[in-house]
Amino acid sequence: MKPNAKDEYHTPVMSDEVVWLIHPRPGGVYIDCTLGSGGHALGLLEFAGAGAQVIGIDRDQDAISAAKERLNIFRDTVTFVHGNFSDLQDIVKNLGILKADGILFDLGVSSHQLDEAERGFSYMEDGPLDMRMGQEAGPSAKDLINTLSAEEIASILKTYGEERWADRIAEFIVKRRDKAPVTTTGELADIVKAAIPAKARRSGPHPARRTFQALRIAVNQELDNLHAGLDQAIRILRSGGRLVVISYHSLEDRIVKTTFLKMSSPKGQDSLRILTKKPIVPCMEEIIANPRSRSAKLRAAEKF
Ligand SMILES: C[S@@+](CC[C@H](N)C(=O)[O-])C[C@H]1O[C@@H](n2cnc3c(N)ncnc32)[C@H](O)[C@@H]1O
């Protein structure tokens, strides 16, 4: 059964902290760069009361549809944009907006994307090996796995998955695809399991977790988009405006941390004041209620 857009589509992570840090007010302009099903946007709109304007961006059309349903009562104040936050300045300019009072990035994939087997993100369920967040054209995980050289595959697994068995996994993939193309998530998960020695598989997370994370990042160019999105967001913020970023793995968090640090040293036109010396993490209660929140790290900054 499909999840209900209003509740089970995606539970927003650290939503009280997000709302408190952005502190939306009537008349303000807020951009949710990763709208998902609109859980965080709903929190911002409810807190701000009438008159706040929210721009909600997502590259996934399914997310936009779910958010439209969830945010129906605020439809007059929300602008839905099916697009990539790496184009943030163009998106905002096309809407005639000059500055924003608060900008949110809640990175990664939604529960909906992970749970829908046919989107191809999950190593737990069998589905087509796709992993594209947006349904736009561009190489899927299947294209990468079946066309790149063993060295290129290993490099993706090392760089984006920090996978110590990357060379062996790549070798097993190439051997297997010489017989028949690898087309499903189940096939890929089995190849990874076979490539990692049993002893190394016994402890820790699912053996295919790192491989799937790495491929997802490569397919969606997540780190390049994050660099581009953050830079543009900082420029768009008005003085006193706040930027909040929730990341889910160390590669993303490193980019957020270094961008914030870089922008907080010279007190130029686009400089930031860091509000979170250390990242905020979910409390135990939230992790128990929503285990997918366990790796979340929230960093926030204010524009000078
Ligand atoms: C963790 S979910 C956000 C959930 C949302 N905060 C909520 O409360 O429902 C991340 C969303 O960001 C979207 N996304 C990821 N990278 C994106 C990008 N570069 N541009 C636009 N949307 C992106 C994904 O499609 C996904 O729907």
Side-chain angles (χ1 to χ4, degrees), residues 10 12 32-40 57-60 63 70 83-86 106-110 113 133 225 248:
H10 184 96
D32 185 342
C33 294
T34 50
L35 184 66
S37 60
H40 282 120
I57 304 168
D58 205 292
R59 65 194 292 187
D60 183 351
R70 192 180 206 168
N84 193 313
F85 61 60
S86 64
D106 176 25
L107 300 167
V109 279
S110 66
Q113 288 165 335
M133 277 186 201
N225 288 333
Y248 294 87

Side-chain angles (χ1 to χ4, degrees), residues 211-273:
T211 296
F212 274 64
Q213 173 189 301
L215 276 172
R216 196 199 87 199
I217 292 174
V219 165
N220 296 292
Q221 300 173 0
E222 290 179 36
L223 303 187
D224 289 346
N225 288 333
L226 179 56
H227 276 296
L230 282 181
D231 285 352
Q232 294 173 55
I234 294 167
R235 267 178 254 142
I236 291 165
L237 271 182
R238 120 176 35 259
S239 172
R242 290 188 166 183
L243 174 60
V244 173
V245 188
I246 306 177
S247 64
Y248 294 87
H249 55 77
S250 56
L251 300 169
E252 281 173 348
D253 184 54
R254 215 172 296 151
I255 292 173
V256 182
K257 184 180 166 184
T258 50
T259 304
F260 278 18
L261 280 174
K262 187 181 82 193
M263 299 309 292
S264 67
S265 37
K267 305 274 180 283
Q269 205 192 357
D270 284 324
S271 62
L272 295 175
R273 180 166 73 90

Side-chain angles (χ1 to χ4, degrees), residues 132-148:
R132 283 172 297 188
M133 277 186 201
Q135 291 85 349
E136 70 270 0
S140 64
K142 184 177 105 184
D143 298 327
L144 298 189
I145 284 294
N146 289 291
T147 58
L148 296 181

